[in-house]
Amino acid sequence: MPNVLLNHEKGIWKKSVASTNNYLKENKIEQGSWISADEQTEGRGRKGRSWNSFGEDKIIFSGKIRFEKVKFPVSLFSLLTGCAVLKTLIQSAPEIENDLQLKWPNDIYRNGNKIAGILIECEQEGEILDAIVGIGVNLFGKSIPDDLKNGGFLLDKKPTDEFKKKLIENLINALNEAVVLVGDEKSIGKEIAFAFEKSYLRGKEIKAIQNQKIILGKQTGVTSDGFLIIETTSGERFELMDTDPSFEVL
Ligand code: BTN
């Protein structure tokens, strides 16, 4: 059986839901389906955090994808999903391409401010993996809440409904492309290079703790598993699988 990609025809449009990721889970929606909501009342972020979309216009999207044979680490799919969202946002707003960056593993930043986040939730049975990919993008607004000072918006002017529809269409295509790429060893290198070229962390001092050891260094790349490579000034090399509360950009 082939993977089940997102199907443009299988969209659900809602005014408000608690969480679009939860909606796909709780309603046992079939693979290949996706949902877009105008508002979310209990949006969830990575690491058990909440996700409060702000501003006037936003994308709140989740899609359900089935991998029939998982031969890759989820960390790689997570990175490629970040690349897919970044490519979609560049496609939607090419005039600000140089302002947009990928903050490993998969946040999107504009000029140093977070404008989009991704929450991937997986269930695996044998070799079959069902992934719910949730994406929140702050599109446009006039003010940023005080407690989210490093937040930002993709756009400087209000988007039309047409713009939002097109963005979702492009997002579905880019996510489907990521599903194909993650299983194609020959193409991974190009994606990894893109993730590093567009990396927000590149050149910045990073602090992390691994096995009770403090690491101070700079990102020198991304592994083919989607791990962050950090090198210290003394040339020691570390690979991080994910961020944790000790992870800091200095
Ligand atoms: C993060 O940056 O911590 C991830 C944020 C993910 C938010 C999106 S919005 C659509 C989907 N539904 C949720 O409850 N969360 C994700």
Side-chain angles (χ1 to χ4, degrees):
M1 286 282 279
N3 293 333
V4 183
L5 300 179
L6 296 177
N7 182 333
H8 286 278
E9 308 303 320
K10 287 192 182 162
I12 301 163
W13 297 88
K14 290 275 174 193
K15 268 230 131 351
S16 176
V17 294
S19 151
T20 51
N21 269 31
N22 290 7
Y23 187 94
L24 292 185
K25 269 193 246 173
E26 288 161 7
N27 294 288
K28 301 215 177 344
I29 304 289
E30 64 173 329
Q31 293 88 20
S33 306
W34 52 273
I35 172 169
S36 166
D38 293 340
E39 297 294 341
Q40 235 177 189
T41 53
E42 288 167 42
R44 294 187 296 110
R46 293 176 70 232
K47 317 266 175 205
R49 291 186 290 253
S50 58
W51 171 264
N52 300 314
S53 307
F54 54 86
E56 294 168 27
D57 297 275
K58 55 210 85 157
I59 298 291
I60 299 171
F61 174 96
S62 298
K64 194 167 178 181
I65 293 163
R66 168 161 286 190
F67 293 94
E68 282 298 331
K69 263 199 169 112
V70 205
K71 289 191 243 130
F72 51 84
V74 172
S75 52
L76 180 62
F77 179 58
S78 164
L79 182 82
L80 297 200
T81 303
C83 293
V85 175
L86 176 57
K87 284 178 194 170
T88 304
L89 300 186
I90 292 173
Q91 195 178 5
S92 299
E95 65 287 357
I96 56 152
E97 168 163 8
N98 293 335
D99 299 348
L100 298 176
Q101 287 178 309
L102 178 71
K103 179 169 180 251
W104 178 86
N106 60 18
D107 287 338
I108 311 297
Y109 274 48
R110 178 183 177 192
N111 288 333
N113 295 314
K114 179 164 169 173
I115 60 163
I118 298 168
L119 173 66
I120 301 177
E121 296 180 289
C122 297
E123 268 179 30
Q124 190 164 354
E125 247 190 75
E127 283 192 314
I128 297 180
L129 181 91
D130 282 323
I132 293 187
V133 180
I135 297 159
V137 186
N138 305 325
L139 280 185
F140 172 76
K142 292 186 185 125
S143 66
I144 290 160
D146 285 342
D147 55 331
L148 292 171
K149 272 299 171 217
N150 86 328
F153 297 107
L154 174 70
L155 304 170
D156 299 324
K157 72 174 205 308
K158 195 167 173 60
T160 60
D161 287 345
E162 213 34 58
F163 177 96
K164 289 194 239 177
K165 267 206 189 128
K166 188 75 198 157
L167 194 155
I168 289 177
E169 210 178 295
N170 291 337
L171 182 61
I172 290 171
N173 292 339
L175 290 172
N176 283 342
E177 206 180 299
V179 174
V180 175
L181 287 172
V182 77
D184 174 9
E185 279 169 25
K186 280 189 249 119
S187 310
I188 305 269
K190 205 169 143 221
E191 289 305 292
I192 297 285
F194 177 76
F196 187 48
E197 178 204 325
K198 296 287 184 187
S199 175
Y200 167 82
L201 295 176
R202 193 151 53 103
K204 295 196 169 65
E205 281 295 330
I206 297 165
K207 182 179 167 193
I209 298 178
Q210 194 178 58
N211 302 327
Q212 289 153 15
K213 186 173 170 161
I214 297 181
I215 303 166
L216 283 175
K218 288 190 177 163
Q219 180 190 10
T220 53
V222 183
T223 72
S224 56
D225 283 348
F227 296 177
L228 185 78
I229 306 171
I230 301 181
E231 267 181 45
T232 65
T233 40
S234 61
E236 254 190 302
R237 178 192 149 111
F238 296 89
E239 292 179 6
L240 298 189
M241 220 173 109
D242 200 353
T243 55
D244 67 18
S246 74
F247 188 88
E248 256 184 274
V249 181
L250 302 176

